[in-house]
Amino acid sequence: MAGTSTWAAALVIARKDVAVEVRTRAAFLSATVFALLAAAIFYYAWDPTAVSSLDLAPGVLWVIFTFSGLLGLNRSFGAELSERAIDGLLTAPIAREAIFLGKALANLAFLIGVQLIAIPAVILLYNVPVGRALWGIAAVGLLAAIGLVAVGTLFSAMVVNTRFAELLLPMVALPFFVPVIMAAAQATTTLVAGRPIAEAGGWIRLLGAFDLVFAAACTVAYPFTIER
Amino acid sequence: MPADEARSERAGSRKRGGPFDWVFVVAVAAVVATIVRAVYFTPVEARQGAAQKIFYLHAPSAFVALYVAFGLMALASALYLWLRDPRLDQLASSSAEVGLAFTTVVLVTGPIWGKTVWGAWWTWDARLTLTLFLWLIILGYLVLRGAVEDRQLRARYSAVLALLAALLIPFIHLSVYLFRTLHPQPIVLKPSAPSLPPEMLTTFLMALASILLLYVALLRARYALARAYASADAADDEAYA
């Protein structure tokens, strides 16, 4: 069964990446510390008497989340460069799509990990009364993470072969993050304000559609980006 | 230099559209004629005054950049991934570069008009935001091209990025429309008949034709340059091989 082996291979690759990250904690530590620092810096970048911290919180959350996510995405394929480890993956008798899916799953785990730290931190630091909205925010966070990971993993695979890899990733990936960040921040604002989730229905459908379209498109596109 | 060698070099440069590019000269003349007609021989719009005349440069540039240039870029990129002909990659990147120039014209003329009529240089309106992001995506595309050494890899990366960008546009469009829009609704390209006075419509159509011609001329020149670079690279590869 080709389908099963693709997913099985993807899971093995994802487990390898997660294990490397758990043992080194290099990218995760820098991403979460960055998220906490940015949350603190953003607070002082506005006049708290003019804009209430509650109005800032959703925007701050999604901005710091995007940039800390980029730190992890950079490492995704960058880590395979030393000793040409990527050649090992490419010569393995598995579908090229499995490499992409494995990398994407590991990046998704990374982003969810960052969210688990960043979302409570922003809720605490900005005094956001979440209450029952927490599950809604978590769902929006997951939907947004899938979209960011689909696009980010593909571009990470592309930019490692360029001259200024880590500088190029934000430039290429951020325009693609725009609809995701916009929809996630708007949906979060609705939820934090205590309004029903149905009011953010348009934004949530947009997130879902983005996830479906780009997860499929990037999986199909990945084999085109590797040398034959 | 022997005379026959110099002659063949001159012939070569003429063949590649070298010193005298008649399409470019005609296009520039047509654009100048359009501007003269728009400024001196087209009535001033009643409410917006002279600022409305920017429309004759702004709208055709937007049409040529967003639909023609980037449409051709996406089409050539898709065909490249299928046929793997380097000329398609050169065509896509040439069209992207010329399209970026026209998008820049749109982004410069728009705020000048906006400041006069809206009272603000910029608003986060659907069309403005979409155009700005498209401009940034094309810029990223061109920077990515500059950062990849391997020609074949560069062509594949660019084609993938161009196709994903084509997929992204509906999403940016939808997300900025979920905000609100302030931009004037289409006047000429709309389902019902154009609601522009005949003299203005003539000027507009003339502007559209001349800007389109300018695009074709610039694309031709840029494509010829891309071909020249490619053959120079190939000659280099051969010399070092």
Side-chain angles (χ1 to χ4, degrees), chain A residues 200-212:
Chain A
W203 293 115
I204 289 172
R205 276 198 295 278
L206 183 78
L207 275 179
F210 187 96
D211 290 357
L212 285 177

Side-chain angles (χ1 to χ4, degrees), chain B residues 170-231:
Chain B
F171 282 99
I172 296 188
H173 189 76
L174 202 63
S175 60
V176 288
Y177 253 92
L178 282 174
F179 267 67
R180 70 203 146 67
T181 184
L182 189 69
H183 190 282
Q185 289 307 302
I187 294 176
V188 179
L189 285 173
K190 62 177 184 180
S192 53
S195 54
L196 213 58
E199 288 138 315
M200 287 186 177
L201 186 62
T202 308
T203 308
F204 175 77
L205 292 177
M206 194 175 148
L208 189 59
S210 61
I211 296 281
L212 198 58
L213 192 61
L214 185 64
Y215 162 76
V216 170
L218 289 174
L219 181 68
R220 258 181 101 241
R222 185 62 190 81
Y223 180 69
L225 183 65
R227 297 293 301 156
Y229 268 125
S231 59

Side-chain angles (χ1 to χ4, degrees), chain A:
Chain A
M1 280 285 288
T4 352
S5 69
T6 297
W7 280 105
L11 281 176
V12 171
I13 292 169
R15 203 177 307 143
K16 167 194 77 87
D17 273 16
V18 171
V20 168
E21 189 51 49
V22 166
R23 283 177 205 159
T24 61
R25 279 186 286 272
F28 189 71
L29 199 63
S30 65
T32 46
V33 170
F34 169 83
L36 295 175
L37 280 172
I41 290 169
F42 268 114
Y43 189 86
Y44 290 105
W46 272 280
D47 178 1
T49 56
V51 187
S52 89
S53 62
L54 187 57
D55 293 335
L56 285 180
V60 167
L61 178 65
W62 287 102
V63 169
I64 63 175
F65 180 59
T66 308
F67 287 104
S68 53
L70 279 175
L71 290 174
L73 289 170
N74 254 329
R75 266 189 63 82
S76 178
F77 277 88
E80 304 288 347
L81 274 188
S82 65
E83 320 259 334
R84 296 285 307 171
I86 187 75
D87 289 349
L89 283 178
L90 291 176
T91 47
I94 52 171
R96 292 278 157 89
E97 287 83 358
I99 301 174
F100 177 80
L101 290 171
K103 285 285 177 188
L105 285 176
N107 287 335
L108 187 63
F110 180 90
L111 277 198
I112 291 173
V114 174
Q115 279 181 337
L116 286 177
I117 309 254
I119 294 178
V122 169
I123 287 173
L124 286 174
L125 294 173
Y126 286 73
N127 288 314
V128 183
V130 274
R132 276 182 305 148
L134 191 61
W135 291 110
I137 295 173
V140 169
L142 182 65
L143 279 178
I146 293 171
L148 297 185
V149 158
V151 177
T153 306
L154 181 70
F155 289 151
S156 168
M158 280 165 53
V159 298
V160 288
N161 294 316
T162 64
R163 263 187 282 144
F164 21 91
E166 62 275 17
L167 300 176
L168 202 57
L169 183 64
M171 196 166 173
V172 178
L174 281 177
F176 285 81
F177 289 179
V178 168
V180 179
I181 299 161
M182 212 158 153
Q186 294 298 324
T188 310
T189 306
T190 309
L191 291 167
V192 165
R195 298 203 298 273
I197 197 160
E199 263 182 51
W203 293 115
I204 289 172
R205 276 198 295 278
L206 183 78
L207 275 179
F210 187 96
D211 290 357
L212 285 177
V213 168
F214 279 93
C218 293
T219 311
V220 172
Y222 175 71
F224 284 104
T225 65
I226 337 171
E227 295 155 84
R228 285 159 204 225

